[in-house]
Amino acid sequence: GQSLEQPSEVTAVEGAIVQINCTYQTSGFYGLSWYQQHDGGAPTFLSYNALDGLEETGRFSSFLSRSDSYGYLLLQELQMKDSASYFCAVRDLAGTALIFGKGTTLSVSS
Amino acid sequence: DAGVTQSPTHLIKTRGQQVTLRCSPISGHKSVSWYQQVLGQGPQFIFQYYEKEERGRGNFPDRFSARQFPNYSSELNVNALLLGDSALYLCASSLPGGSDRDGYTFGSGTRLTVV
């Protein structure tokens, strides 16, 4: 089966940089996705890595190392509005479902 | 353009009752997926429908069922509700043939409370 591990909580201050790690175990791998969710609202797609390396989208970057079954989400120039839960996710073997980690709650303080 | 819309937003039901949740995907999106999110956990896959056919089913009991209509909207039905069914139910739509690079677009969900 598939499983993902990520830290449950991360705290940081405004303007700082934070990294949220994700390790995964899966029999077949299609890529690693990241979603953001504010207070039980709609999860919002942030980024996707299918190949090794860094993908940058504004203040957010995502990294993947397939050999290490590891990825991370990097958030720069943190703002209060970045306080949210962040989920990493992989496809299931059939390719029809996303399997999510338990999520990392990021708290940004002033 | 309207995003993914779900109704109702909140619902309170009694154990043993039945519930129907509704989802309208983004215009042009033909695939709809349902997820259950228990407090403090990540979303868990329930169903995926594409062109009115079930394409995938998660590890949920037969009390859970769904269908997709010709206009690509979808309903999730849960029978014989249990206290453990209390959760946020999320609907996600995606483009036909869309890849993970496009991501899913989720609705804001239906918060179901079973008492």
Side-chain angles (χ1 to χ4, degrees):
Chain A
Q2 284 115 322
S3 66
L4 302 102
E5 297 232 357
Q6 48 182 132
S8 57
E9 292 183 22
V10 174
T11 60
V13 296
E14 273 187 305
I17 300 172
V18 73
Q19 179 175 311
I20 298 174
N21 299 319
C22 174
T23 57
Y24 59 86
Q25 288 186 323
T26 178
S27 304
F29 183 72
Y30 297 90
L32 186 69
S33 299
W34 289 92
Y35 284 79
Q36 177 193 60
Q37 186 180 36
H38 285 97
D39 284 337
T44 303
F45 172 70
L46 291 177
S47 67
Y48 171 71
N49 295 68
L51 302 176
D52 292 351
L54 192 68
E55 295 268 351
E56 298 183 65
T57 309
R59 295 187 296 114
F60 294 1
S61 303
S62 56
F63 172 83
L64 177 66
S65 169
R66 289 174 296 171
S67 61
D68 296 320
S69 298
Y70 163 76
Y72 65 72
L73 181 69
L74 190 73
L75 298 85
Q76 303 182 72
E77 301 172 17
L78 280 173
Q79 303 174 9
M80 297 290 285
K81 68 178 182 179
D82 297 328
S83 294
S85 293
Y86 293 84
F87 297 91
C88 56
V90 296
R91 282 257 163 220
D92 69 346
L93 291 177
T96 55
L98 278 181
I99 309 299
F100 287 84
K102 291 185 177 181
T104 299
T105 300
L106 171 63
S107 299
V108 181
S109 60
S110 57
Chain B
D1 281 343
V4 177
T5 57
Q6 293 187 242
S7 63
T9 55
H10 295 80
L11 202 53
I12 299 175
K13 289 286 189 178
T14 304
R15 277 179 298 175
Q17 286 188 312
Q18 174 265 340
V19 69
T20 299
L21 311 180
R22 296 176 176 82
C23 171
S24 293
I26 291 175
S27 177
H29 285 196
K30 298 182 178 180
S31 178
V32 170
S33 300
W34 288 95
Y35 286 79
Q36 180 197 65
Q37 187 176 23
V38 175
L39 195 62
Q41 302 290 318
Q44 187 173 359
F45 173 70
I46 309 175
F47 287 110
Q48 185 191 67
Y49 274 78
Y50 176 66
E51 291 285 8
K52 296 177 289 180
E53 290 192 6
E54 181 183 303
R55 294 301 178 97
R57 183 188 181 110
N59 188 24
F60 279 81
D62 291 343
R63 298 185 296 107
F64 289 76
S65 63
R67 55 179 175 169
Q68 186 177 34
F69 299 98
N71 65 354
Y72 305 111
S73 67
S74 178
E75 286 182 351
L76 175 70
N77 293 282
V78 186
N79 293 322
L81 285 167
L82 304 174
L83 295 179
D85 296 330
S86 295
L88 179 68
Y89 288 85
L90 295 161
C91 173
S93 75
S94 58
L95 287 164
S99 71
D100 283 337
R101 189 162 295 283
D102 303 314
Y104 279 169
T105 303
F106 282 87
S108 296
T110 294
R111 173 74 62 186
L112 173 65
T113 302
V114 182
V115 297

